[in-house]
Amino acid sequence: MTLYGIWELKKIAMRNLARHKVKTILTSAAIMVSVAVYIFLNSWLGGMAIESRRNIVNFEMSAAKLQTKLYFEKKDEMPSYENFTGWENYRAALESEGYSSAPRFIFAGTLYSASGSAPILFHGIDPVYEAETMHYVQYVDFGRFVQYGKFEIALGTVAAEKLKVGIPTRPLRLELETLINEITVNSADAEFIRSLYDIAPTFTDIFSPDIVHTAGNERMVLKRDASQGDLDRYWNMIAATNRNDVRINAVIDIKAVPEAIRPDKWTGELMPALDHAGQSLMEAAYQYEDFFGAYLLSEEFEADEAKMAQVLEAMIRADFSGAVRHVNQLIDVVVVGVINSPAPLPNGNTAYIPLDVLQDDAGMALEGAVTELVIREKNAGSSRLPGVSESAAVITAALERGLAAQGLSLPGDLAVRTWLEYVEDYLGYEKLQTGAPQVLALLLFILSFLGISNTILLAILERTKETGMMRALGMTDRQMIMTYMLEAGFLGLFGSVLGIILGCAINYPMVKYGIDFSAMADTLAGGIGFRTTGIFRSVWNIPLIIGSGIVATLLSSCMAFFPTRRALKMPITDSLRFE
C-alpha cells in the first residue's frame, strides 16, 4: 500500500471520527482517564520507592558496611559477639581514599523509664563521625544529640512516646495535666505548656481503638508551628526533673571456645549441626575424659590461635550455645534528645549512645570492638543513590589500598557489604507495594481499550451498508481494516495526548510539593509500608509518560483489527441489504 493510499484512508478515518463526535469524545475521554491515572500512579509510587531507598541509605545504613562475614550471615540475629577491633585503621584507610565512615556497635536490649519499658535497638556511635556519614543526626526534634563521654542517649520519637520521656507530642488531656503538675511551679508555666497544644482531629486515633475518649480527656497534639525557643524552654523544664532518666538492660555476648563440653551437648547439639569437616575438626580438638565425664579441649589446640579460631568459627556457624556467654548489664543514662527524621527506623524503637562510654565495665566492656563501620563516599548528595563507586568491590579495593599504605592488610574474616544486600527482603516487599496499584491501573487501561473494541464493532455494524458499498466500489478488505485501524488509532492518539497532559498536570504539584502524610505516619507508629514518613513526592518518569501514549495509540489501533475482520466476513450483497 502506497503512502498516498494510506493518506487517503487517513482522510476517510478522520471524516468518520468527525461524523460521530459524541462517540469520539466519550471514547477519547476513557483513554484520557486511563492514561492519566496510569501516569500518576506510576510516578507517585516510583517517587515513594526512590525516597524510601534514599532514606535507607541516608538515615539507616549508609551505602555499605564493613563487618565480619559471620555477622552478615547471622545479621537477623544481630550477633554482637561478631565484632572486630582496629576500626580506626580502617577508617583512616577509607578516609585517604575519599570515603567517610563511622564505627557502630549494635545491640538489643530493654529501656526502662519511670512510666514503662520498651524493646530498643541500641547504636553505640561516635557522635562526630556519625554526623559526617549519616543524616538523621540533623533531625533532633527536641533537645540535642549525644556527646562524647556522657552516659546519655538520643531516642526515636516512637520510643519516647511509649516511655513517656521528653516532650509528648500526642498526649491525652489528663496525661498532659499530670505532666504539667509534675514539672511546673507556677500558673504561668502551666499556661505556657497548654498554649503549645491543640485538640487533635477525631481521626487521630482511628488505628488505636483501645483508646477511649471522654469529655475533658481529648487527644491533644503539639502545634507544628511552635517556635524552637518555646520547645527548648519546654524541654529544659522537663529535663530539670527525673522524667528523662532511663535504664538500659542489655546482654553482653562474648564468644569463646569452651574448655569442656557435656556429652549431651556434644551429641545432641554440636555434632549434628556440623558438616563432615566440622565434625572431624571437633574430634581432633576434644577428647572425652571418663574422670570428668566431659569432652575436654586438647592442650595442642589451646596453644594454637589459628586452630582455636577455626574451632570457634565452626561452633558459631553451627549455632552452638556453648560458644557464646551472655552477661547481663545495667546502664543508667539520660535521654537528651528525640529524633524525628524522614525515615521510620531512627524514629522507632531506636536509641543512640556514645560509643566511648561503652568501652569499659561501666558500659558494655567492648574494649574497642565494633560490629560495623558504615561507609559513604565523601560529598555524596542526599538525593543520590549509591553507584559503582560505592559498590562492594570498589570500596574493598580502596580499603585495601589505604591499608597497604599503612603497612597493613584487610583480615580475611572482614568483608564489605552494600545496602542492597541488606534490604533484599524489603525490595521484594516494595515490588508488591508498588505492583498492586499498577496492576489495577493496567486493568483500567485494558478495560478502556476493550471499550474501544466494542465502540469500533458498533461503528462497523452501524455502517455495514456503507462498508458494503465501499467494498463494491473496489475497496479491498485490507484497506477497510486499515481504515478502521487508523480511526481507532486516532482515537487512541487524541486520548493519549489529553491523558499525558492531564497526568502531567496532576503530577506536577506532587513532584514539586508532595502530600504530607506525617500525621498518618505518626498514628501508624512511624510507617505505612514504605521506608519513609512525612511528605511523599512523585517523580518524572519521562520514558513511561511517552511510552504510555505510544502504547495507548498502538493498542487502540490493534483493538480495531479483530472486530473489523469479523465484520468483513459478511458477503458484500448481504452488507448492501443490511438494515
Side-chain angles (χ1 to χ4, degrees):
M1 188 177 295
T2 64
L3 291 176
Y4 177 77
I6 294 175
W7 178 257
E8 290 300 316
L9 295 179
K10 188 265 304 182
K11 289 195 290 186
I12 295 174
M14 292 295 288
R15 280 197 298 268
N16 286 337
L17 291 176
R19 287 164 52 197
H20 303 86
K21 293 185 177 64
V22 175
K23 289 181 180 178
T24 299
I25 292 171
L26 291 177
T27 306
S28 296
I31 299 171
M32 175 188 71
V33 172
S34 300
V35 171
V37 169
Y38 192 71
I39 289 172
F40 172 74
L41 274 178
N42 274 275
S43 299
W44 189 23
L45 293 170
M48 293 171 71
I50 290 174
E51 192 66 21
S52 294
R53 297 183 182 198
R54 288 171 180 163
N55 286 345
I56 290 170
V57 173
N58 294 328
F59 298 96
E60 296 184 17
M61 63 182 61
S62 202
K65 294 182 179 185
L66 177 67
Q67 294 174 321
T68 68
K69 295 176 181 178
L70 277 176
Y71 189 100
F72 181 78
E73 291 178 15
K74 298 176 176 289
K75 61 182 181 297
D76 293 335
E77 303 170 17
M78 293 181 297
S80 59
Y81 53 82
E82 278 302 324
N83 50 57
F84 60 95
T85 57
W87 62 266
E88 297 87 349
N89 295 327
Y90 307 135
R91 187 184 185 282
L94 289 166
E95 181 81 16
S96 66
E97 293 293 323
Y99 293 92
S100 298
S101 58
R104 287 176 161 189
F105 190 93
I106 310 296
F107 62 99
T110 304
L111 196 61
Y112 294 90
S113 70
S115 301
S117 63
I120 299 290
L121 179 63
F122 293 94
H123 296 65
I125 52 96
D126 181 294
V128 173
Y129 296 154
E130 190 81 357
E132 292 176 359
T133 311
M134 306 301 297
H135 292 211
Y136 72 87
V137 178
Q138 309 164 19
Y139 290 86
V140 178
D141 249 13
F142 314 124
R144 59 172 175 79
F145 199 58
V146 297
Q147 297 176 350
Y148 286 117
K150 296 183 178 180
F151 282 88
E152 53 191 32
I153 61 172
L155 200 59
T157 183
V158 172
E161 288 287 336
K162 288 180 181 178
L163 297 171
K164 300 189 185 305
V165 298
I167 296 176
T169 57
R170 299 173 55 250
L172 294 171
R173 186 184 292 274
L174 293 182
E175 293 175 345
L176 180 61
E177 291 300 322
T178 300
L179 173 63
I180 290 173
N181 292 333
E182 291 176 357
I183 68 173
T184 60
V185 294
N186 56 63
S187 59
D189 287 341
E191 286 305 315
F192 161 72
I193 294 175
R194 292 189 187 100
S195 70
L196 298 178
Y197 289 89
D198 285 326
I199 296 177
T202 54
F203 65 80
T204 303
D205 287 317
I206 189 172
F207 298 101
S208 303
D210 55 311
I211 294 178
V212 179
H213 294 267
T214 59
N217 193 29
E218 302 86 357
R219 171 70 69 188
M220 310 299 292
V221 61
L222 187 68
K223 293 179 179 177
R224 292 185 176 272
D225 59 353
S227 70
Q228 190 59 51
D230 286 345
L231 293 176
D232 289 342
R233 176 186 169 187
Y234 189 9
W235 178 272
N236 291 333
M237 292 170 66
I238 292 173
T241 68
N242 63 354
R243 177 183 173 88
N244 290 349
D245 293 344
V246 293
R247 171 171 287 182
I248 299 172
N249 183 1
V251 174
I252 305 172
D253 292 334
I254 303 172
K255 62 178 182 178
V257 176
E259 294 183 359
I261 303 176
R262 297 198 318 263
D264 60 324
K265 287 276 190 179
W266 178 271
T267 57
E269 181 180 348
L270 178 58
M271 296 302 280
L274 295 168
D275 56 19
H276 179 72
Q279 291 175 352
S280 299
L281 180 64
M282 295 303 156
E283 288 170 352
Y286 287 87
Q287 288 82 41
Y288 182 75
E289 296 290 341
D290 289 327
F291 180 78
F292 294 99
Y295 289 85
L296 300 183
L297 184 65
S298 70
E299 293 182 359
E300 177 189 349
F301 267 73
E302 198 167 3
D304 191 326
E305 290 186 8
K307 290 182 177 179
M308 289 289 282
Q310 292 176 358
V311 170
L312 182 58
E313 181 177 345
M315 288 182 171
I316 295 297
R317 287 187 184 279
D319 288 323
F320 180 52
S321 59
V324 179
R325 290 191 294 113
H326 307 289
V327 181
N328 198 60
Q329 188 78 341
L330 298 176
I331 308 172
D332 291 321
V333 294
V334 177
V335 178
V336 296
V338 176
I339 295 171
N340 187 18
S341 75
L345 181 65
N347 304 350
N349 284 8
T350 307
Y352 301 88
I353 183 170
L355 184 61
D356 58 342
V357 303
L358 300 178
Q359 298 305 314
D360 56 25
D361 292 340
M364 297 287 290
L366 301 184
E367 298 180 352
V370 296
T371 56
E372 64 189 33
L373 196 66
V374 292
I375 305 165
R376 190 84 214 260
E377 191 173 20
K378 285 184 179 179
N379 303 317
S382 60
S383 62
R384 195 196 82 183
L385 287 173
V388 175
S389 61
E390 292 176 300
S391 65
V394 173
I395 292 176
T396 300
L399 178 57
E400 289 175 341
R401 287 195 303 271
L403 288 173
Q406 302 176 36
L408 303 171
S409 60
L410 184 64
D413 64 331
L414 295 181
V416 174
R417 303 285 185 175
T418 65
W419 69 283
L420 286 172
E421 295 176 87
Y422 265 88
V423 296
E424 287 181 351
D425 291 343
Y426 166 74
L427 293 178
Y429 174 72
E430 183 186 273
K431 286 182 180 179
L432 292 176
Q433 286 283 96
T434 57
Q438 290 184 34
V439 169
L440 292 176
L442 186 60
L443 289 175
L444 178 62
F445 212 65
I446 293 172
L447 286 174
S448 297
F449 294 109
L450 289 176
I452 294 170
S453 178
N454 187 55
T455 300
I456 294 296
L457 179 59
L458 291 175
I460 292 170
L461 290 175
E462 289 175 357
R463 286 181 268 166
T464 300
K465 185 178 289 188
E466 179 184 327
T467 300
M469 186 179 298
M470 288 190 291
R471 292 168 69 194
L473 292 173
M475 194 174 229
T476 65
D477 287 356
R478 183 181 178 189
Q479 289 172 325
M480 291 299 303
I481 291 173
M482 180 62 70
T483 301
Y484 282 111
M485 287 184 69
L486 286 171
E487 185 177 332
F490 284 123
L491 279 173
L493 179 62
F494 298 152
S496 297
V497 171
L498 294 173
I500 289 173
I501 294 172
L502 178 61
C504 290
I506 298 172
N507 202 43
Y508 175 77
M510 288 296 300
V511 172
K512 188 172 180 63
Y513 305 107
I515 295 179
D516 189 351
F517 275 100
S518 55
M520 182 182 292
D522 288 344
T523 304
L524 293 175
I528 61 171
F530 289 92
R531 300 283 270 270
T532 183
T533 61
I535 296 177
F536 292 167
R537 289 186 172 87
S538 294
V539 292
W540 291 116
N541 191 339
I542 303 301
L544 182 136
I545 292 172
I546 297 174
S548 64
I550 294 173
V551 169
T553 302
L554 293 177
L555 193 56
S556 297
S557 183
C558 292
M559 282 292 182
F561 176 78
F562 293 103
T564 306
R565 187 179 178 186
R566 180 182 176 184
L568 291 176
K569 290 181 179 179
M570 182 183 293
I572 294 176
T573 54
D574 291 346
S575 298
L576 293 172
R577 290 194 297 267
F578 186 84
E579 294 294 340

